[in-house]
């Protein structure tokens, strides 16, 4: 009994905060736009009982999904969002790994402070931190002044309102989400494994690639998922730092929802986005599990 | 003991919650009105004086885009008693059944309103049955005087030529150009410039307007609906299509900062879009009586004049004009002269199909996709 209760907690969580909202969005994606409250039709009429459910279901269709695939705009936006998210995830990993490695190798009594320092930026609002980057990256901003005073550049660089600024914003904002899982897995590695590698004549760089890195892979994967998934749907960073031509699915979704007032099409865009993210991730994890079992 | 504490804690919590709910109920018995207005749009003194005079508490909340307000209204149950949508949004929302008719017997101050403006707002709200004008303004050009002169001594700043002739606009590319990220505000101006109906829903006309904007696109640094205020004031950009009051706000900020930038507003000679922000009461408002008292209070000449003096926007209240500051009443970019007024046009709302075409045309312009 107690075991069932324990197991049911995560499933209940999944049901209430994932499946129910998902089915509401999915239901709206099958309806049509209308000038009413709420702005789509049909809506569910409980008073008609079972026959009401029948007429309700008969009015639903997949038209909005066909629409999304007819216009290349949506596919391009998905693709561009996935590319931007993938590149930023890779850059985040490159920067986070040495930091996490340094933290894991630091004296034990220092480590809580270092973890604290990584979390510290969260004490300021996310929005304010992104705004701060406008001040740093703009033409008369801190970065350009600094580089020009040093004589490295003579003309100010145009970084703000370009895709480069979006990469900077995403890497900066999501860095802690990459560092923390990496640190957690690196910190667990037993130092005697590296000593053993050294004793057996392995140079440090080889020991890193053959011992440390493979053992940190769970942390790498966790960090990459934590960065890649929210970065794909990111709206605030491209809106504030990106140029007008930075096409991302978050902005396309916003346009559908707010400018076109088309809740059904925007719901369809959201459902497809979820499938684009969830299906490959589930397949990937299955594959990982299989490999792990085969390795045993 | 552990279990006892474990039980007691939720009980204490329940008691606290009950006390809170009772407190909430007591508050609800007090009279209040919940207002949802645009940001930076009212002198807060008006609200405190209203409460002092009537005993009705004002809960005041702000938004910064019609789309956000509309989405809340269409979802229903906003809890607001007074909201302030712009004309085309208002007319569509009336169609969706979002608002209730005003009880004009409770609004004796309607006599102060300006017939010239009421005539135009009736395009959105026939008979002005659902709404009262709060403020109105125009969508036109903001520019940095020094930077424009430096690049082109005889720049046609009093004409849309400066924006819609690519060879002229190109001269200002290096100092930064912003355009509102709002097809409903920009495309009508283009249609009007091309000599077409600014309200046209003909796909060919919209295509023509889109092609013209695509030609000037390479010169535009960013499409955004609020960043230009700061960017103009700081001298980061030199030219923008924006809302009159916002540009005047940028002008004032630059003056206060004494940063050497002089910002000005221009109403082009070909005409510009005139827009109206309208006070209305949602159908599901809980404090209808108080909402009417609040609206009637806002129509007092000296009250609404105070709001205009604060926001740099013109209001639709004729009797208020004697209470306006000279800097507001005398400024033709806020209160244009009769001749300019004749050249201003209003935009009605698009049907869903045209709206989709307009948004799609805009996305193609902005992203190149």
């Amino acid at each position: 009994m107690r075991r069932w209760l324990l197991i049911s907690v995560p499933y209940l969580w999944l049901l209430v905060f994932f499946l129910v909202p998902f089915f509401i969005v999915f239901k709206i994606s099958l309806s049509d736009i209308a000038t009413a409250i709420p702005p789509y039709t049909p809506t569910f009429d409980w008073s008609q009982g079972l026959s009401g459910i029948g007429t309700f279901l008969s009015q639903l269709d997949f038209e909005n999904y066909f629409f999304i695939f007819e216009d290349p705009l949506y596919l391009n936006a998905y693709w561009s969002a996935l590319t931007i998210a993938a590149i930023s995830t890779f850059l985040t990993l490159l920067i986070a790994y040495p930091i996490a490695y340094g933290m894991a190798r630091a004296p034990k009594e220092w480590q809580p402070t270092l973890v604290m320092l990584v979390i510290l930026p969260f004490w300021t609002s996310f929005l304010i931190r992104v705004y701060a980057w406008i001040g740093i990256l703009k033409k008369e901003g801190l970065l350009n002044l600094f580089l020009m005073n040093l004589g490295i550049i003579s003309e100010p660089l145009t970084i703000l309102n370009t895709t480069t600024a979006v990469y900077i914003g995403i890497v900066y904002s999501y860095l802690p989400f990459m560092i923390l899982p990496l640190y957690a897995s690196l910190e667990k590695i037993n130092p005697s494994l590296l000593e053993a590698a050294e004793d057996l004549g392995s140079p440090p760089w080889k020991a890193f690639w053959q011992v440390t890195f493979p053992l940190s892979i769970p942390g790498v994967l966790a960090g990459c998922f934590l960065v890649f998934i929210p970065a794909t749907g990111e709206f605030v960073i491209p809106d504030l730092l990106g140029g007008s031509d930075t096409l991302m699915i978050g902005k396309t979704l916003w346009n559908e929802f707010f400018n076109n007032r088309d809740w059904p099409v925007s719901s369809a865009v959201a459902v497809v986005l979820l499938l684009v993210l969830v299906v490959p991730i589930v397949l990937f994890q299955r594959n990982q599990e299989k490999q792990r079992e085969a390795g045993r | 003991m552990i279990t006892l504490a474990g039980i007691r804690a939720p009980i204490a919590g329940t008691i606290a919650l009950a006390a809170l709910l009772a407190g909430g109920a007591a508050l609800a018995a007090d009279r209040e009105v919940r207002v949802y207005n645009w940001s930076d749009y009212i002198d807060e003194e008006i609200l405190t004086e209203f409460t002092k005079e009537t005993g009705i508490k004002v809960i005041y909340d702000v938004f910064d885009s019609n789309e956000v307000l509309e989405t809340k209204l269409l979802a229903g149950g906003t809890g607001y008693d007074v909201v302030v949508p712009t004309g085309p949004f208002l007319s569509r929302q009336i169609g969706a059944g979002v608002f209730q008719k005003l009880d004009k017997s409770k609004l004796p101050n309607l006599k102060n309103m300006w017939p010239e403006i009421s005539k135009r707002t009736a395009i959105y709200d026939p008979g002005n049955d659902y709404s009262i004008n709060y403020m109105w303004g125009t969508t036109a050009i903001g520019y940095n005087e020094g930077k424009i002169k430096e690049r082109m001594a005889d720049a046609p700043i009093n004409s849309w030529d400066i924006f819609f002739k690519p060879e002229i606009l190109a001269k200002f590319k290096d100092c930064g150009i912003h355009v509102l990220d709002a097809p409903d505000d920009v495309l009508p101006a283009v249609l009007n410039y091309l000599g077409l109906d600014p309200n046209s829903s003909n796909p060919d006309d919209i295509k023509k307007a889109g092609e013209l904007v695509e030609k000037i696109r390479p010169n535009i640094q960013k499409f955004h609906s609020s960043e230009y205020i700061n960017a103009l004031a700081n001298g980061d950009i030199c030219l923008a299509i924006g809302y009159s009051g916002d540009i005047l706000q940028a002008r004032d900020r630059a003056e206060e900062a004494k940063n050497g930038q002089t910002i000005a507003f221009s109403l082009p000679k070909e005409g510009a879009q005139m827009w109206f922000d309208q006070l209305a009461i949602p159908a599901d408002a809980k404090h209808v009586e108080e909402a009417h008292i609040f609206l009637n209070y806002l129509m007092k000449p000296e009250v609404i004049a105070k709001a205009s003096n604060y926001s740099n926007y013109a209001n639709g209240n004729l009797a208020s004009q004697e209470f306006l500051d000279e800097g507001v009443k005398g400024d033709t970019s806020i209160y244009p002269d009769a001749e300019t007024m004749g050249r201003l046009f209003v935009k009605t709302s698009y049907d869903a199909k045209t709206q989709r075409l307009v948004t799609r045309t805009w996305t193609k312009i902005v992203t190149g996709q």
Side-chain angles (χ1 to χ4, degrees):
Chain A
M1 189 59 202
R2 208 151 152 205
R3 235 180 88 205
W4 282 111
L5 264 173
L6 272 178
I7 295 174
S8 70
V9 172
Y11 280 97
L12 202 68
W13 176 271
L14 198 69
L15 182 77
V16 174
F17 293 107
F18 179 75
L19 283 177
V20 171
F22 173 76
F23 274 105
I24 294 174
V25 171
F26 182 66
K27 191 213 82 175
I28 297 176
S29 77
L30 301 179
S31 38
D32 293 314
I33 183 171
T35 308
I37 305 175
Y40 52 83
T41 178
T43 46
F44 205 72
D45 188 2
W46 290 103
S47 63
Q48 287 180 16
L50 275 180
S51 70
I53 298 177
T55 43
F56 172 75
L57 289 178
S58 69
Q59 287 176 51
L60 299 177
D61 56 55
F62 285 90
E63 199 185 0
N64 296 320
Y65 290 89
F66 292 121
F67 176 77
I68 293 179
F69 290 103
E70 268 166 24
D71 190 334
L73 168 73
Y74 301 95
L75 292 180
N76 286 338
Y78 284 122
W79 181 245
S80 141
L82 289 172
T83 321
I84 290 179
I87 295 175
S88 350
T89 307
F90 181 68
L91 294 175
T92 314
L93 181 64
L94 281 188
I95 297 173
Y97 206 100
I99 298 177
Y101 190 80
M103 284 167 65
R105 286 303 196 83
K108 273 277 174 248
E109 65 272 20
W110 279 65
Q111 292 191 8
T113 319
L114 292 173
V115 171
M116 188 70 195
L117 287 175
V118 171
I119 302 171
L120 205 62
F122 286 122
W123 290 13
T124 318
S125 149
F126 166 71
L127 202 59
I128 290 175
R129 285 185 280 132
V130 177
Y131 261 109
W133 276 102
I134 296 181
I136 298 172
L137 297 177
K138 68 178 187 178
K139 262 200 175 150
E140 292 85 16
L142 294 174
L143 181 69
N144 274 321
L145 281 180
F146 181 70
L147 292 177
M148 273 164 51
N149 282 343
L150 285 183
I152 296 173
I153 50 169
S154 53
E155 281 282 299
L157 301 170
T158 310
I159 305 175
L160 189 64
N161 299 333
T162 64
T163 312
T164 315
V166 178
Y167 287 131
I168 295 175
I170 294 179
V171 169
Y172 163 76
S173 303
Y174 290 103
L175 198 60
F177 297 103
M178 185 68 93
I179 294 178
L180 293 177
L182 277 177
Y183 164 75
S185 63
L186 284 169
E187 188 249 358
K188 269 189 292 188
I189 296 174
N190 191 341
S192 57
L193 289 174
L194 289 172
E195 281 161 21
E198 202 185 332
D199 286 349
L200 295 171
S202 169
W205 63 269
K206 213 172 175 184
F208 173 81
W209 282 114
Q210 290 185 338
V211 180
T212 312
F213 188 75
L215 286 172
S216 71
I217 279 181
V220 172
L221 288 177
C224 286
F225 281 140
L226 279 176
V227 174
F228 181 75
I229 295 170
T232 308
E234 185 56 61
F235 171 72
V236 174
I237 297 172
D239 186 56
L240 291 177
L241 302 180
S244 303
D245 51 357
T246 313
L247 183 70
M248 278 189 84
I249 197 67
K251 176 74 180 160
T252 310
L253 202 66
W254 202 93
N255 273 342
E256 280 304 331
F257 195 74
F258 289 97
N259 289 5
N260 287 343
R261 288 170 296 282
D262 199 333
W263 292 23
V265 167
S266 59
S267 302
V269 172
V271 169
V272 173
L273 176 63
L274 198 75
L275 294 180
V276 166
L277 283 175
V278 168
V279 172
I281 288 170
V282 169
L283 289 178
F284 180 79
Q285 287 210 318
R286 278 241 179 109
N287 194 29
Q288 285 289 113
E289 236 157 72
K290 256 187 212 158
Q291 278 185 359
R292 212 177 301 154
E293 270 163 28
R296 249 175 221 166
Chain B
M1 278 314 279
I2 292 164
T3 45
L4 202 66
I7 291 168
R8 205 177 268 165
I11 292 177
T14 317
I15 293 169
L17 192 70
L20 207 70
L21 284 175
L27 272 181
D30 291 340
R31 305 186 79 191
E32 62 175 35
V33 59
R34 295 171 182 248
V35 183
Y36 197 39
N37 197 354
W38 293 79
S39 50
D40 264 329
Y41 217 21
I42 200 161
D43 188 334
E44 305 246 335
E45 262 179 48
I46 294 174
L47 305 177
T48 38
E49 276 163 25
F50 173 75
T51 307
K52 218 186 278 168
E53 213 176 297
T54 60
I56 298 170
K57 199 170 128 198
V58 185
I59 296 166
Y60 195 83
D61 212 351
V62 296
F63 60 91
D64 69 352
S65 92
N66 265 309
E67 285 80 7
V68 170
L69 168 65
E70 180 163 75
T71 304
K72 284 196 181 198
L73 288 171
L74 291 179
T78 57
Y80 295 114
D81 303 310
V82 176
V83 295
V84 195
T86 308
F89 288 84
L90 172 90
S91 72
R92 183 169 46 234
Q93 288 152 12
I94 292 174
V98 167
F99 299 118
Q100 55 179 284
K101 279 199 177 178
L102 299 174
D103 183 348
K104 291 188 181 174
S105 68
K106 288 180 184 153
L107 301 167
N109 285 338
L110 274 173
K111 65 175 192 293
N112 297 329
M113 297 307 283
W114 189 355
E116 173 73 29
I117 298 299
S118 304
K119 197 178 77 196
R120 296 190 188 220
T121 58
I123 295 169
Y124 306 109
D125 174 11
N128 289 301
D129 283 342
Y130 291 90
S131 69
I132 298 166
N133 181 250
Y134 179 63
M135 298 279 157
W136 57 272
T138 49
T139 304
I141 301 171
Y143 64 101
N144 185 313
E145 275 180 2
K147 291 191 176 176
I148 296 292
K149 267 223 184 88
E150 216 172 86
R151 284 165 180 78
M152 191 181 183
D154 56 344
I157 195 67
N158 63 340
S159 159
W160 281 113
D161 281 346
I162 198 165
F163 255 99
F164 299 141
K165 284 222 162 92
E167 68 276 12
I168 297 183
L169 191 66
K171 292 189 202 279
F172 308 105
K173 184 183 178 181
D174 69 304
C175 61
I177 301 163
H178 275 203
V179 170
L180 289 172
D181 189 9
D184 296 23
D185 285 311
V186 180
L187 291 182
V190 182
L191 286 167
N192 183 60
Y193 175 76
L194 291 172
L196 301 164
D197 175 11
N199 279 308
S200 176
S201 57
N202 180 341
D204 291 337
D205 291 354
I206 291 168
K207 198 174 150 220
K208 271 183 214 155
E211 281 167 359
L212 178 58
V213 185
E214 265 174 69
K215 273 194 208 123
I216 62 163
R217 172 71 182 93
N219 299 315
I220 296 167
Q221 190 189 80
K222 189 160 190 177
F223 291 89
H224 201 279
S225 296
S226 55
E227 240 178 77
Y228 68 95
I229 308 175
N230 272 328
L232 267 179
N234 296 340
D236 294 338
I237 60 169
C238 63
L239 205 54
I241 296 183
Y243 304 118
S244 51
D246 283 357
I247 291 164
L248 297 175
Q249 213 175 72
R251 177 195 68 186
D252 294 351
R253 277 190 208 173
E255 264 169 30
E256 278 161 28
K258 298 198 174 63
N259 58 3
Q261 313 291 344
T262 313
I263 310 303
F265 174 76
S266 159
L267 259 181
K269 60 174 193 255
E270 295 88 352
Q273 189 184 150
M274 190 181 187
W275 48 258
F276 306 86
D277 285 341
Q278 299 288 104
L279 298 156
I281 305 179
D284 56 3
K286 290 204 176 60
H287 309 94
V288 178
E289 179 70 31
E290 289 82 357
H292 279 89
I293 298 173
F294 184 72
L295 293 189
N296 199 45
Y297 184 81
L298 278 185
M299 284 188 289
K300 280 188 173 181
E302 58 280 15
V303 171
I304 195 70
K306 197 172 196 173
S308 280
N309 288 337
Y310 173 87
S311 69
N312 276 334
Y313 280 107
N315 64 60
N317 191 309
L318 190 60
S320 77
Q321 297 193 1
E322 59 174 300
F323 299 99
L324 291 172
D325 291 346
E326 196 36 49
V328 173
K329 179 74 187 88
D331 190 336
T332 50
S333 49
I334 303 176
Y335 280 93
D337 52 52
E339 196 223 326
T340 315
M341 282 278 262
R343 279 184 276 116
L344 300 177
F345 57 85
V346 299
K347 197 199 142 289
T348 50
S349 63
Y350 291 127
D351 59 276
K353 207 175 137 203
T354 311
Q355 182 72 58
R356 177 163 284 287
L357 176 69
V358 166
T359 309
R360 187 65 187 88
T361 306
W362 191 251
T363 307
K364 182 153 181 277
I365 293 166
V366 170
T367 64
Q369 298 281 346

